[in-house]
Amino acid sequence: TDWCGTSSNGRFAFCQRAEEWGGQPAMRYDQAGWMFPIDGRAPQYIAKASRAVGLSLPRAVVDRVYRHFLTWNVHSDPAFQDIQGRGLRIGEVSVVGLLSEPDNARACAWLVDQFGWNTISRVPGFRTLCDLCEGVGKDGNGAPCLVCGWRGYHAPLFPHNHGRDDYAIFGRDENGLLFWGMIRALPWEKGSGRPKYQMLSTSSDIHASLAGKPKYHVAGLVHGTEEVWFTEGILKATVAAKYLHRTVIGLSGTNVDAPTIRALRDLLRFWGTKRAVIAYDSDKRDMDTNGELLYHGVVAGEQALGSALATVVPSVLTAEWDREDGKGIDDLLTKAAGDYWLKEMP
């Protein structure tokens, strides 16, 4: 057996001396040895504990909470119109329009009844106004909490709409579980100072955080994994997968953090992916009046991602297209304005 053992849940084998087990390559190596899946399910990177409110919840629990919340605004016309304008249908992506402040409070109180305060307070996106009552708790800014809610605590609250048409969009993992998300500003005006997308997370000490956890969205997995594409965002990845007929992974941004990189490499190794294609927006090469790159960070992020993927995938390329044919790969595909070409990464 080459010093192989199994995990406590029976899903994985760990071997100290063998880089193959049962004819399959290892997913990754850690202190327990080379790691192999036993039951055929794709691996999930085990995230570090949230420093905010406690240990991370299992993805299956986070998925259930998000899916329950999705039922509270099933007729969010502005959000759905925006999705349809991107070339998607309802159901192809998990979206919910943000609720008004009173409706949001009722929805969150209902979720606490269903799952318990301790669970909801540990789901990224739900912010607990105060951790304790009767004047001894502290809010996110360290100020004392002088009163409690009518239930004897301050219920964790999801962001409300502030009278706008903003909506939440959730990322799915390789097993279809919703496990992270973002807020999409609607409408959004460039130069307004308001971010177009905002992570469902916070760094405040008493709130659930996505820090130290992987963030990616898997779309189009039915198309196979021999060739996998990467692009920016949940919506963009979903559109690209629909039109390319490829598996496309949406990233939370152009600069990918270490936990996400580790999770992605595990997935590609597990899938046996032969070719990875990075499709970042075409404006990555835009220049200023002095002929200098405007978006150095995007180009640097593309290079870093390519280098990381090249450690597990034989071929890594970028998808390129003319700027006038569309900013993002989704624009290019939905408008059928032109073609893309693939370029080997240096």
Side-chain angles (χ1 to χ4, degrees):
T1 58
D2 289 319
W3 298 94
C4 295
T6 58
S7 61
S8 59
N9 60 11
R11 286 189 59 191
F12 304 104
F14 293 89
C15 301
Q16 287 291 335
R17 297 172 180 261
E19 296 184 25
E20 288 192 2
W21 185 83
Q24 58 184 328
M27 289 161 43
R28 66 171 179 257
Y29 183 84
D30 62 17
Q31 292 181 345
W34 295 98
M35 183 177 181
F36 307 90
I38 293 176
D39 60 5
R41 284 184 291 175
Q44 291 184 3
Y45 172 74
I46 305 302
K48 298 178 182 177
S50 167
R51 70 182 182 87
V53 286
L55 296 176
S56 301
L57 292 170
R59 285 189 184 177
V61 175
V62 176
D63 173 78
R64 286 182 60 205
V65 172
Y66 285 155
R67 290 187 187 278
H68 274 67
F69 191 76
L70 285 170
T71 66
W72 271 81
N73 198 5
V74 295
H75 300 296
S76 176
D77 291 338
F80 294 155
Q81 288 171 7
D82 189 63
I83 295 300
Q84 291 168 343
R86 302 285 296 266
L88 296 173
R89 296 193 304 270
I90 305 305
E92 291 181 321
V93 67
S94 298
V95 165
V96 62
L98 298 190
L99 299 166
S100 66
E101 187 170 8
D103 286 344
N104 187 62
R106 283 191 288 269
C108 294
W110 176 76
L111 286 172
V112 169
D113 281 346
Q114 298 294 311
F115 295 94
W117 186 93
N118 188 50
T119 294
I120 302 303
S121 66
R122 293 159 62 194
V123 175
F126 291 86
R127 301 188 62 179
T128 307
L129 296 181
C130 291
D131 56 347
L132 294 171
C133 294
E134 299 175 355
V136 296
K138 300 292 183 181
D139 68 10
N141 298 315
C145 301
L146 300 180
V147 295
C148 284
W150 62 276
R151 294 168 181 271
Y153 51 76
H154 285 277
L157 295 174
F158 202 76
H160 63 87
N161 62 20
H162 296 277
R164 297 169 49 87
D165 293 320
D166 299 353
Y167 61 86
I169 177 169
F170 299 99
R172 300 173 183 171
D173 72 1
E174 59 278 9
N175 295 311
L177 298 177
L178 308 180
F179 72 114
W180 69 286
M182 306 187 84
I183 299 295
R184 168 67 159 90
L186 189 69
W188 177 75
E189 302 81 24
K190 190 171 184 177
S192 64
R194 178 181 174 87
K196 189 174 185 180
Y197 290 94
Q198 185 174 354
M199 195 78 67
L200 275 178
S201 179
T202 174
S203 59
S204 298
D205 286 340
I206 67 168
H207 303 315
S209 173
L210 289 169
K213 303 175 186 177
K215 298 165 283 292
Y216 58 90
H217 171 69
V218 180
L221 195 54
V222 295
H223 301 304
T225 54
E226 185 167 333
E227 179 178 290
V228 177
W229 285 55
F230 295 82
T231 192
E232 311 158 47
I234 298 170
L235 289 177
K236 196 171 295 182
T238 306
V239 172
K242 179 176 181 177
Y243 285 83
L244 288 170
H245 303 288
R246 296 284 191 277
T247 294
V248 182
I249 293 181
L251 307 168
S252 61
T254 56
N255 290 282
V256 187
D257 59 17
T260 303
I261 287 291
R262 288 193 292 268
L264 295 178
R265 288 194 296 199
D266 285 348
L267 279 178
L268 297 181
R269 188 183 291 113
F270 178 77
W271 287 338
T273 301
K274 303 301 181 185
R275 184 161 78 165
V277 181
I278 303 173
Y280 281 179
D281 287 0
S282 60
D283 64 354
K284 64 187 178 184
R285 300 293 180 188
D286 284 1
M287 303 283 187
D288 62 18
T289 55
N290 296 318
E292 301 289 336
L293 282 174
L294 283 172
Y295 306 114
H296 294 276
V298 175
V299 176
E302 180 184 73
Q303 289 290 335
L305 177 61
S307 297
L309 299 181
T311 63
V312 293
V313 176
S315 176
V316 180
L317 308 98
T318 61
E320 311 288 341
W321 58 93
D322 292 330
R323 179 73 165 83
E324 59 268 22
D325 291 335
K327 177 176 177 287
I329 186 67
D330 53 337
D331 301 321
L332 177 76
L333 296 171
T334 55
K335 297 175 182 177
D339 296 321
Y340 64 85
W341 61 92
L342 300 182
K343 178 182 175 183
E344 288 280 353
M345 292 201 71

